[in-house]
Amino acid sequence: MRPIRFAITALAAAALTVPAAVPAASADTAERHWPPHHSHGKAERLRWAAPHGFHIGTAVAGGGHHLEQDYPDPFTSDRRYRRTLARQFDSVSPENQMKWEYIHPERDEYDFEMADRIVRFAGRHGQVVRGHTLLWHSQNPAWLEEGDFSDAELRSILRDHITTVVGRYRGRIQQWDVANEIFDSEGNLRTEENIWLRELGPGVIADAFRWAHRADPHAELYLNDYGVESVNAKSDAYYELSRELLADGVPLHGFSAQAHLSLDYPFPGGLEENLRRFDELGLGTAITEIDVRMTLPESGEPTAEQLDTQADYYRQALSACLDVEGCDSFTIWGFTDKYSWVPVFFEGQGAATVMTEDFTRKKSFFAVYDTLKDEKRWWPGRPGHGRGGH
Ligand code: 9MR
């Protein structure tokens, strides 16, 4: 069956690149009438196009860089945003609202309000939740980073945090990013920046997974990072760590690539091969934070060619995931350019998501939609579905 499926995917890819082949004089017309070969109306829903057991997700905008923008909290204040969030996606990841600085602002104080609201919203709309994140070097509160704690105190602070946060949402989080960005680009553990690794040593990684598993035995527990799309020094380090953790009986269930991509770089080669080697260890895999940024022309508007290439990056990333049995979720790091982190962090860059600032669906939206639909036509359900957790 597999070769047939590849042929179909290749056909879909050819259809997607058609506008690039039209003569320059008619490029504008092609743009206005995109997509040329599909009769896409208003009703396309990514979540309906996805095969059973495959989750199509988005970050839920709030906290972090949003706090410095001139708009109110997107998730609670923008009705159109919420409507699209519910309609299009069946997986949600709090963008910042479960991070330490947000959910644990003082040593003896938790603030669950936003996280609770997101988890309730997901429940109402039949969505799963990816919890993000428990052990990270960034977005930690000052009381933690600047505090003067003994090793024993720090250990109990981390254990209590994981037990409290994971336990609160027991049974309602599909996947947790337990350890986030723990290696640098050379594949060395971030023992300087990461307070837990620096103070408690690498053994704390296994402990974090064990504590999380005890607090919610059904949650699938993940290692998550950026720059690990290809087979490279960093992903090799994750591969070795995964093997060690599994050999030690640590409840590790998955490895995920964030996939913050850029048109300034070629599409990361070997994504499928890389995911597959983790799959072969028996781990689930996922794309957890994809966006595809670009350097914008002076007008501030992406060109038709940039949008074509962007659509192709999204399609390639999704196809790689779909072609690996246990890769069962694909999350976009924000679905509208209106709230994307990209222009705030990368000067002159943007347009990284699948919808414009006014929620118009871009070519990349239809690339994701068509790729999901093609997959579902041939493989209505995911064979590797549900391998993590439990
Ligand atoms: O999108 C998040 C943004 O709102 C925050 O300001 C930023 C702070 O580090 O974190 C962003 O999300 C990051 C995610 O948590 C981990 N991977 C990289 C993401 C983009 O920076």
Side-chain angles (χ1 to χ4, degrees):
M1 285 300 284
R2 290 233 145 197
I4 295 177
R5 189 160 68 112
F6 287 129
I8 296 299
T9 312
L11 258 178
L16 273 169
T17 52
V18 162
V22 298
S26 56
D28 281 346
T29 323
E31 179 64 16
R32 272 200 306 278
H33 294 291
W34 174 265
H37 295 310
H38 302 273
S39 50
H40 289 121
K42 286 212 180 297
E44 285 79 17
R45 309 250 171 121
L46 299 177
R47 61 184 295 178
W48 292 352
H52 178 69
F54 188 84
H55 296 287
I56 180 81
T58 180
V60 177
H65 75 276
H66 302 284
L67 299 175
E68 288 136 41
Q69 309 305 306
D70 59 0
Y71 50 70
D73 179 67
F75 173 65
T76 45
S77 313
D78 185 337
R79 290 185 59 194
R80 187 167 180 209
Y81 176 83
R82 289 167 67 89
R83 207 167 53 230
T84 310
L85 180 65
R87 279 194 182 153
Q88 294 292 347
F89 300 95
D90 76 342
S91 175
V92 292
S93 306
E95 185 175 0
N96 294 288
Q97 303 91 330
M98 284 187 180
K99 291 173 180 171
W100 273 76
E101 69 174 5
Y102 207 101
I103 211 167
H104 200 162
E106 300 296 336
R107 184 169 179 184
D108 302 317
E109 190 189 314
Y110 285 91
D111 180 354
F112 292 117
E113 197 199 329
M114 275 304 166
D116 282 0
R117 288 172 81 145
I118 293 171
V119 172
R120 273 203 306 273
F121 180 91
R124 273 205 306 283
H125 297 287
Q127 297 165 319
V128 296
V129 182
R130 292 198 84 261
H132 177 79
T133 176
L134 301 169
L135 185 154
W136 192 24
H137 64 270
S138 181
Q139 289 185 276
N140 288 327
W143 69 262
L144 173 66
E145 290 284 348
E146 288 157 26
D148 184 17
F149 302 112
S150 69
D151 290 359
E153 280 172 318
L154 264 185
R155 242 181 104 72
S156 83
I157 287 171
L158 181 62
R159 191 187 52 231
D160 290 351
H161 177 93
I162 291 179
T163 306
T164 306
V165 176
V166 177
R168 183 176 184 90
Y169 301 111
R170 186 185 174 105
R172 292 191 288 173
I173 302 276
Q174 184 211 14
Q175 299 179 346
W176 266 108
D177 292 331
V178 174
N180 193 43
E181 302 171 5
I182 53 175
F183 287 105
D184 66 19
S185 57
E186 262 113 62
N188 301 310
L189 279 174
R190 294 196 197 230
T191 44
E192 289 302 308
E193 295 150 285
N194 185 310
I195 181 173
W196 312 109
L197 299 174
R198 184 178 67 233
E199 304 299 330
L200 303 175
V204 73
I205 299 166
D207 290 333
F209 277 89
R210 291 197 179 100
W211 293 327
H213 187 58
R214 212 168 295 154
D216 185 353
H218 291 287
E220 299 165 18
L221 307 181
Y222 270 67
L223 291 164
N224 183 55
D225 211 327
Y226 63 87
V228 290
E229 291 71 36
S230 303
V231 174
N232 56 29
K234 201 175 185 180
S235 63
D236 281 351
Y238 276 101
Y239 187 72
E240 286 314 315
L241 175 67
S242 300
R243 282 176 21 151
E244 283 167 28
L245 293 174
L246 292 172
D248 291 344
V250 175
L252 165 70
H253 307 120
F255 164 79
S256 45
Q258 295 177 5
H260 291 290
L261 308 181
S262 163
L263 293 190
D264 293 343
Y265 305 100
F267 183 83
L271 175 57
E272 182 184 332
E273 175 197 348
N274 187 38
L275 294 177
R276 196 178 299 288
R277 65 176 171 158
F278 288 91
D279 186 80
E280 283 165 0
L281 290 179
L283 294 177
T285 53
I287 302 292
T288 51
E289 305 184 11
I290 190 169
D291 45 24
V292 183
R293 61 184 185 271
M294 59 190 79
T295 301
L296 294 168
E298 253 174 43
S299 66
E301 292 298 320
T303 65
E305 197 192 340
Q306 283 180 311
L307 292 173
D308 281 344
T309 313
Q310 181 187 49
D312 194 54
Y313 276 36
Y314 271 100
R315 181 192 58 73
Q316 287 193 62
L318 177 56
S319 298
C321 175
L322 287 168
D323 286 341
V324 174
E325 250 188 38
C327 187
D328 62 10
S329 86
F330 184 85
T331 294
I332 303 169
W333 205 239
F335 60 85
T336 162
D337 292 341
K338 184 172 182 186
Y339 298 131
S340 168
W341 70 292
V342 167
V344 180
F345 283 75
F346 299 91
E347 212 189 320
Q349 301 196 35
T353 79
V354 297
M355 292 186 194
T356 62
E357 294 199 5
D358 68 2
F359 294 72
T360 302
R361 296 166 301 171
K362 301 188 207 169
K363 292 175 185 177
S364 47
F365 175 94
F366 293 108
V368 172
Y369 178 80
D370 288 339
T371 307
L372 289 171
K373 229 176 129 192
D374 281 342
E375 176 78 8
K376 191 177 190 175
R377 188 174 307 146
W378 297 98
W379 299 86
R382 295 293 290 164
H385 174 49
R387 66 169 56 184
H390 322 287

